[in-house]
């Protein structure tokens, strides 16, 4: 059985679109991240898909701006990202801590 997740905070449709597109791009960046290992073909495919996701992310932000949503409510958006496993998904984009040798 799946764990009980906290509810998503109230988001506008455009904010929800922004969060979804951001996480999709982060997932692909994690697949491209060279410190994650893997083969070049997998990274190449992710990089190719990233182009389309970046356009979708840009479009989500442009829509927010056109609708007069000129401020990103960081606390609310961070709560939404946490509910959607954003910490794990974006951690794949960063460098791991150095290993002691």
């Amino acid at each position: 059985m799946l764990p009980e997740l906290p509810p998503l905070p109230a988001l506008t449709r455009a904010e929800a679109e922004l969060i979804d597109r951001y996480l999709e791009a982060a997932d692909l960046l994690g697949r491209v991240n060279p410190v994650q290992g893997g083969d070049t073909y997998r990274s190449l495919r992710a990089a190719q898909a990233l182009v389309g996701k970046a356009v979708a992310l840009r479009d989500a932000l442009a829509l927010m701006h056109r609708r007069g949503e000129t401020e990103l409510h960081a606390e609310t958006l961070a709560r939404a990202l946490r509910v959607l496993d954003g910490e794990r998904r974006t951690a794949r984009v960063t460098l791991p801590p150095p290993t002691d040798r």
Side-chain angles (χ1 to χ4, degrees):
M1 187 167 160
L2 294 175
E4 185 70 26
L5 295 174
L8 274 172
L11 301 173
T12 66
R13 192 171 289 145
E15 287 174 327
E17 184 76 11
L18 168 64
I19 293 294
D20 289 342
R21 300 301 77 84
Y22 174 80
L23 287 174
E24 288 173 351
D27 289 339
L28 290 169
L29 276 173
R31 288 176 43 197
V32 173
N33 188 348
V35 301
Q36 295 294 331
D39 60 71
T40 56
Y41 184 72
R42 178 177 172 235
S43 294
L44 172 62
R45 296 289 300 186
Q48 290 169 333
L50 184 59
V51 175
K53 298 301 179 186
V55 169
L57 179 59
R58 180 207 59 201
D59 291 348
L61 285 162
L63 177 62
M64 288 179 72
H65 185 72
R66 281 194 309 273
R67 289 184 175 175
E69 296 179 49
T70 57
E71 185 178 338
L72 295 174
H73 301 283
E75 187 175 317
T76 302
L77 296 172
R79 281 194 348 251
L81 285 168
R82 284 187 183 94
V83 170
L84 297 170
D85 202 20
E87 288 175 314
R88 178 190 61 81
R89 293 167 74 179
T90 57
R92 296 185 64 217
V93 176
T94 63
L95 289 172
T99 56
D100 294 332
R101 290 186 179 211

